[in-house]
């Protein structure tokens, strides 16, 4: 939340990035936190809000065949648009694009209503959209609601929030710009595009490659224009084949100390058997690399802990789930190059549970079952989930559990 970014932090607050006091972590002078944009990039992918200097991008992201989310990016103006920073707000997962587009329209309206006036720096817009986001988590739209919104706007919802194609106003470098200073992309793992690499247009490009699960071959999936500072991804719906993308997350490394371990106490009655299985992955980025699901844009430390408790005096389901849970979790974490909202970390665990349940029903252990408790550590946040008889106990220092 950036509601107090422009206020001094409490005297006892310490920035966990640099270990110093006097500033919020989002405004740490060592970098990271808020993303920076150039004039060309803002003009290419955003629209102004109200009469102030703030600008926004509104779009719908498809994350799975039946999983759509609204996304609005709000630029917080500094000493001018070129010194702007972006904060993103995402809506809940929807099964239909039209419903997610309705969420996007609501977030855009909230940003407009939150603009304080000509001196807007984007903070008011961000606060308003965050409030509306929390309300959207508990709202279900009907077709009648969508029809009414389209009547008010005079356009289909999908047209209002259509992804931005490469617009004409993007400042494509001319042949005389060879000596221009090249910008650097955010995050690790970027390589300079070779002469045979496909790019949106000729110029100086960096690409981020992803390894295919089946063949193991590497292919670009993110592009960065080193002259204008713009990020792009592929899109089959765009005439050019590319659309402007939200800049990736600059992964933070938090000073979180964690330890993981497991133990099992077998039953005393005969026959002794092992119905429970524990999984501890203390370095998710390393595991993701080995399984071709890179997590280079994920905050660190990143770890995963789980307990699978077999039911019906049988450990077959627990063993199956323990061997396959991470295979459904890591690809979902790898698909995202932007920052994760808190509720999205909870969503990804829920989606993993659903996918694993379907896989279990198709396995030889389909007639067994198990309870599951998991904890996902990402940076300085922990997302937990449990199903069945298992549970997660959170104990805070100085407090009763």
């Amino acid at each position: 939340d950036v509601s107090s970014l422009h206020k001094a932090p409490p005297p006892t607050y310490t920035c966990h990035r640099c270990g110093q006091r006097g500033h919020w972590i989002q405004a740490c002078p060592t970098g990271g936190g808020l993303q920076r944009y150039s004039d060309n990039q803002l003009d290419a992918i955003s629209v102004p809000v109200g009469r102030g200097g703030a600008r926004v991008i509104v779009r719908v992201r498809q994350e799975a065949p039946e999983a759509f989310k609204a996304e609005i990016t709000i630029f917080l103006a500094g000493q001018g648009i070129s010194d702007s920073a972006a904060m993103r707000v995402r809506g809940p997962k929807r099964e239909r694009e039209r419903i997610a587009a309705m969420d996007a329209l609501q977030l855009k309206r909230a940003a407009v209503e939150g603009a304080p006036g000509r001196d807007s720096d984007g903070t008011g817009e961000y606060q308003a959209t965050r409030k509306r986001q929390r309300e959207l988590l508990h709202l279900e739209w009907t077709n009648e609601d969508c029809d009414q919104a389209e009547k008010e706007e005079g356009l289909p919802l999908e047209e209002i929030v259509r992804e931005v194609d490469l617009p004409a106003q993007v400042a494509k470098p001319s042949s005389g710009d060879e000596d221009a200073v090249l910008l650097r992309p955010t995050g690790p793992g970027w390589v300079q595009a070779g002469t045979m690499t496909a790019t949106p247009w000729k110029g100086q490009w960096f690409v981020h490659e992803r390894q295919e699960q089946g063949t193991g071959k590497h292919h670009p999936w993110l592009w960065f224009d080193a002259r204008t500072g713009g990020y792009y991804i592929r899109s089959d719906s765009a005439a050019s084949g590319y659309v402007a993308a939200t800049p990736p997350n600059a992964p933070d490394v938090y000073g979180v100390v964690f330890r993981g371990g497991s133990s099992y106490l077998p039953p005393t009655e005969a026959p002794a058997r092992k119905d429970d299985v524990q999984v501890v992955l203390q370095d998710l980025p390393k595991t993701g690399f080995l399984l071709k699901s890179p997590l280079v844009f994920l905050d660190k430390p990143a770890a995963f802990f789980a307990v699978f408790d077999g039911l019906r005096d049988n450990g077959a389901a627990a063993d199956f789930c323990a061997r396959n849970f991470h295979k459904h979790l890591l690809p979902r974490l790898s698909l995202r190059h932007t920052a994760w909202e808190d509720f999205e970390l909870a969503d990804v665990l829920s989606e993993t549970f659903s996918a694993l349940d379907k896989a279990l029903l198709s396995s030889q252990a389909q007639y067994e079952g198990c309870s599951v408790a998991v904890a996902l550590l990402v940076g300085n946040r922990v997302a937990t989930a449990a199903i069945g008889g298992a549970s997660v106990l959170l104990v805070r220092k100085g407090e009763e559990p």
Side-chain angles (χ1 to χ4, degrees):
D1 192 344
V2 297
S3 58
S4 57
L5 274 183
H6 298 287
K7 300 178 183 178
T12 57
Y13 177 85
T14 301
C15 171
H16 294 291
R17 180 191 297 278
C18 66
Q20 302 299 317
R21 297 180 179 180
H23 61 266
W24 299 102
I25 188 172
Q26 293 92 337
C28 181
T30 62
L34 304 178
Q35 299 295 329
R36 299 293 169 182
Y37 295 80
S38 65
D39 286 332
N40 290 331
Q41 187 181 5
L42 278 175
D43 291 339
I45 64 177
S46 67
V47 295
V49 174
R51 299 175 299 168
R55 303 173 71 93
V56 300
I57 305 172
V58 184
R59 61 184 65 176
V60 170
R61 292 295 196 194
Q62 183 175 4
E63 300 187 346
E66 294 183 353
F68 300 87
K69 287 183 181 179
E71 178 183 275
I72 184 170
T73 303
I74 302 172
F75 300 97
L76 307 176
Q79 301 300 318
I81 290 296
S82 61
D83 191 32
S84 294
M87 298 297 289
R88 287 173 292 278
V89 179
R90 299 187 183 94
K93 184 181 67 174
R94 305 294 193 181
E95 294 183 356
R96 296 167 52 202
E97 181 180 7
R98 192 183 190 212
I99 301 301
M102 182 68 172
D103 289 340
L105 176 60
Q106 298 300 314
L107 293 175
K108 180 181 179 181
R109 288 177 174 178
V112 173
E113 295 169 359
R118 302 187 67 88
D119 296 329
S120 169
D121 63 357
T123 306
E125 293 88 332
Y126 178 75
Q127 291 175 328
T129 53
R130 290 289 292 188
K131 178 181 178 182
R132 188 56 174 157
Q133 175 211 43
R134 291 189 289 269
E135 297 171 348
L136 291 175
L137 296 175
H138 306 286
L139 287 178
E140 294 292 338
W141 302 111
T142 64
N143 287 329
E144 290 73 17
D145 294 329
C146 296
D147 293 340
Q148 180 61 31
E150 290 179 341
K151 182 178 180 181
E152 294 172 356
E153 296 291 327
L155 286 172
L157 288 171
E158 291 84 352
E159 292 292 334
I160 297 173
V161 296
R162 183 176 297 279
E163 283 191 314
V164 184
D165 195 359
L166 291 184
Q169 62 262 41
V170 173
K172 301 179 182 180
S174 63
S175 59
D177 291 335
E178 286 80 4
D179 297 330
V181 177
L182 298 183
L183 303 174
R184 303 291 297 185
T186 298
W190 293 90
V191 296
Q192 197 156 7
T195 56
M196 301 298 293
T197 303
T199 57
W201 62 76
K202 291 183 178 181
Q204 297 292 334
W205 290 87
F206 287 89
V207 296
H208 208 283
E209 297 182 333
R210 172 174 286 162
Q211 193 174 13
E212 289 185 350
Q213 294 283 345
T215 65
K217 295 182 179 180
H218 290 79
H219 297 284
W221 67 292
L222 281 175
W223 286 260
F224 175 77
D225 187 344
R227 300 293 179 85
T228 66
Y231 294 84
Y232 302 92
I233 57 176
R234 286 194 183 277
S235 175
D236 294 335
S237 62
S240 65
Y242 301 88
V243 294
T246 303
N249 179 47
D252 283 313
V253 180
Y254 292 88
V256 176
V257 178
F258 70 94
R259 296 179 178 87
S262 66
S263 63
Y264 174 71
L265 183 63
T268 56
E269 68 275 6
R273 61 183 181 275
K274 190 174 187 301
D275 295 339
D276 294 357
V277 183
Q278 299 82 38
V279 175
V280 180
L281 300 178
Q282 300 200 47
D283 191 342
L284 274 186
K286 181 178 180 180
T287 305
F289 173 79
L290 295 174
L291 296 180
K292 303 176 184 178
S293 295
L295 304 173
V296 296
F297 297 114
L298 199 65
D299 290 340
K300 298 176 182 177
F304 172 74
F305 312 90
V307 174
F308 302 89
D309 180 19
L311 303 178
R312 305 182 183 92
D313 298 330
N314 192 302
D319 184 72
F320 176 87
C321 292
R323 293 176 183 275
N324 290 279
F325 194 97
H326 65 284
K327 297 178 183 178
H328 295 276
L329 174 65
L330 294 180
R332 285 174 166 79
L333 293 175
S334 179
L335 287 175
R336 170 70 60 78
H337 69 277
T338 54
W340 288 84
E341 295 276 0
D342 291 347
F343 76 92
E344 289 179 316
L345 289 175
D347 283 349
V348 79
L349 290 180
S350 178
E351 293 167 4
T352 302
F353 272 117
S354 297
L356 185 63
D357 187 54
K358 292 180 180 179
L360 177 62
L361 292 175
S362 301
S363 71
Q364 294 182 351
Q366 59 181 308
Y367 298 112
E368 311 305 330
C370 70
S371 300
V372 185
V374 301
L376 175 64
L377 171 66
V378 178
N380 63 346
R381 296 177 293 174
V382 176
T384 64
I387 189 171
S391 60
V392 178
L393 180 64
L394 177 64
V395 180
R396 298 180 184 275
K397 185 178 181 179
E399 297 181 5
E400 293 293 332

